[in-house]
């Protein structure tokens, strides 16, 4: 395999250990870990590459060593574009200190900032992968959604064997577009979910839906465009905006996990309604996604145990 090694300096504070522990806590099916090193496959310019990320700095002086491997690495034309794409996936340029400054003004949120200091999103590797996984995960628990993701990958894309590790590869839109609904039904997909996943892939593969063109649009414009598609509602698009595009100002007020997080933070007897969450969350702008993220993590006992907090 060809190899490219370089260093990246994210904006501080950046706690890569917390970011890894969070992925381990939710049992993310795309990642493999070697101590505090992260491994996964990515797609760029139709090439499948192995991405290895290793922290060689500290929270306040972060530095990452990025190593890329791949038979097609030498065919990549836009290496600077590849490096920038990886910075986006790793949330390297996010000015998270501004978020902390804003939230620390309220004593109620100070413990939240302290506990998750330096934790950022690691985004899904591309927008097709993100939306497909989000459609699959609708109204399912994380464990079964992860199982369905794995089955889709086993059906459509050969894994990469790298230094004794099997790394799964998420299929391209073209890979999924070639499937028939019954093939997913055999993997325990419901009929509707099979249709939603394959029909979405066919729109992308045919060029009727240009996902990268969404980056220039506002959140509401993206919600309006994508929620017209069968099987995609507001919650699905909001998750896509957060975990696929890294938008920081999403408030998925109807989300049960967020409502439970607000209940826990405020010591409420009953779970707040969507409208109550919107009222409380108005003060979170323009960092609603990150307050939501951190509140979700307060419900993640595995991260709590691993982080020693």
């Amino acid at each position: 395999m060809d190899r490219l090694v370089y260093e990246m300096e994210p904006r501080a504070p950046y706690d890569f250990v917390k970011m890894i522990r969070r992925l381990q806590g939710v049992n993310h099916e795309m990642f493999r870990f070697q101590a505090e090193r992260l491994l996964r496959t990515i797609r760029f310019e139709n090439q499948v590459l192995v991405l290895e990320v290793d922290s060689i700095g500290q929270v306040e002086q972060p530095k990452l060593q990025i190593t890329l491997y791949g038979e097609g690495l030498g065919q990549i034309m836009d290496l600077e574009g590849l490096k920038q794409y990886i910075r986006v996936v790793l949330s390297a340029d996010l000015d998270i200190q501004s978020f902390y400054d804003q939230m620390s003004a309220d004593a109620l949120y100070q413990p939240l900032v302290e506990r998750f200091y330096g934790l950022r999103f690691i985004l899904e590797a591309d927008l097709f992968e993100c939306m497909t996984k989000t459609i699959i995960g609708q109204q399912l628990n994380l464990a079964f959604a992860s199982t369905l993701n794995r089955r889709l990958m086993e059906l459509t894309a050969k894994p990469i064997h790298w230094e004794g590790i099997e790394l799964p590869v998420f299929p391209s839109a073209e890979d999924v577009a070639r499937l028939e609904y019954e093939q997913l039904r055999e993997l325990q997909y419901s009929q509707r979910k099979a249709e939603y996943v394959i029909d979405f892939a066919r729109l992308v593969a045919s060029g009727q839906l240009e996902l990268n063109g969404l980056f220039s649009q506002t959140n509401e414009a993206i919600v309006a465009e994508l929620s017209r598609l069968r099987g995609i509602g507001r919650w699905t698009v909001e998750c896509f905006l957060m975990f696929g595009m890294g938008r920081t100002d999403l408030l998925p007020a109807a989300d049960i996990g967020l409502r439970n997080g607000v209940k826990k933070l405020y010591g409420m007897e009953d779970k707040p309604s969507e409208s109550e969450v919107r009222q409380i969350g108005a003060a979170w702008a323009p960092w609603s996604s990150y307050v939501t993220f951190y509140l979700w993590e307060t419900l993640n006992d595995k991260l709590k145990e691993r982080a020693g907090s």
Side-chain angles (χ1 to χ4, degrees):
M1 283 189 179
D2 296 329
R3 186 176 77 153
L4 171 66
V5 183
Y6 66 95
E7 292 183 359
M8 174 190 296
E9 295 186 3
R11 295 186 68 161
Y14 190 95
D15 195 329
F16 192 64
V17 173
K18 280 197 179 86
M19 294 161 72
I20 284 182
R21 286 171 176 162
R22 187 259 167 185
L23 293 171
Q24 291 173 319
V26 298
N27 195 28
H28 196 297
E29 66 279 347
M30 291 302 299
F31 291 95
R32 299 294 182 266
F33 308 94
Q34 293 179 330
E36 294 172 359
R37 177 181 300 157
L38 177 150
L39 293 160
R40 71 152 293 164
T41 57
I42 62 173
R43 288 181 183 273
F44 191 82
E45 292 184 0
N46 297 317
Q47 301 294 330
V48 177
L49 308 173
V50 174
L51 170 65
E52 177 184 291
V53 185
D54 207 352
S55 177
I56 55 174
Q58 295 81 41
V59 173
E60 298 298 345
Q61 293 181 309
K63 183 178 290 188
L64 303 175
Q65 179 171 289
I66 308 296
T67 309
L68 291 160
Y69 304 87
E71 299 294 348
L73 187 57
Q75 300 174 39
I76 298 293
M77 300 297 294
D78 186 8
L79 284 177
E80 289 307 310
L82 173 59
K83 291 180 180 180
Q84 181 56 37
Y85 152 75
I86 293 171
R87 290 189 73 88
V88 171
V89 169
L90 297 175
S91 297
D93 296 317
L94 186 73
D95 182 16
I96 204 168
Q97 187 60 52
S98 294
F99 164 53
Y100 295 151
D101 292 344
Q102 176 178 324
M103 301 313 297
S104 295
D106 187 331
L108 184 65
Y109 291 89
Q110 183 61 35
L112 204 65
V113 171
E114 292 176 356
R115 178 176 171 185
F116 299 113
Y117 186 78
L119 176 66
R120 303 165 182 236
F121 289 118
I122 292 181
L123 303 183
E124 298 290 2
D126 65 57
L127 297 184
F128 173 73
E129 177 183 330
C130 182
M131 180 57 85
T132 302
K133 287 181 178 177
T134 307
I135 293 171
I136 289 170
Q138 291 173 155
Q139 299 181 325
L140 296 179
N141 63 54
L142 285 174
F144 188 54
S146 183
T147 295
L148 293 185
N149 288 334
R150 289 189 178 95
R151 289 173 180 172
L152 176 65
M153 289 187 285
E154 289 166 1
L155 177 66
T156 54
K158 291 183 179 180
I160 288 179
H161 295 272
W162 180 88
E163 294 192 359
I165 301 172
E166 185 175 278
L167 297 172
V169 174
F170 200 82
S172 67
E174 291 74 16
D175 293 331
V176 179
R178 286 190 288 267
L179 298 177
E180 299 298 333
Y181 304 141
E182 186 55 36
Q183 290 176 271
L184 293 187
R185 294 283 289 124
E186 292 172 356
L187 303 181
Q188 288 188 288
Y189 282 68
S190 69
Q191 178 65 31
R192 286 188 176 181
K193 198 172 292 285
E195 293 172 4
Y196 298 160
V197 168
I198 292 174
D199 290 353
F200 174 72
R202 289 173 178 171
L203 286 174
V204 175
S206 67
Q208 294 178 68
L209 179 60
E210 174 49 57
L211 292 176
N212 287 331
L214 298 175
F215 280 106
S216 63
Q217 298 186 30
T218 66
N219 293 341
E220 284 305 315
I222 295 170
V223 169
E225 178 173 349
L226 295 184
S227 60
R228 289 197 297 265
L229 304 179
R230 186 165 173 260
I232 297 177
R234 186 177 188 91
W235 177 88
T236 305
V237 183
E238 287 173 337
C239 289
F240 170 81
L241 286 164
M242 292 171 70
F243 293 104
M245 301 184 73
R247 297 288 172 94
T248 64
D249 53 347
L250 268 295
L251 179 62
D255 182 81
I256 293 174
L258 175 56
R259 290 164 63 196
N260 282 330
V262 171
K263 176 187 174 184
K264 181 177 181 180
L265 180 68
Y266 281 84
M268 298 176 172
E269 290 187 7
D270 299 315
K271 187 163 52 184
S273 66
E274 178 181 348
S275 61
E276 288 173 324
V277 171
R278 290 200 183 281
Q279 184 177 3
I280 292 169
W284 302 347
W287 294 100
S288 304
S289 299
Y290 268 82
V291 180
T292 298
F293 181 33
Y294 283 12
L295 288 175
W296 279 336
E297 293 310 305
T298 65
L299 308 175
N300 186 346
D301 290 335
K302 289 183 180 179
L303 179 60
K304 181 177 179 180
E305 291 167 4
R306 292 169 189 260
S309 55

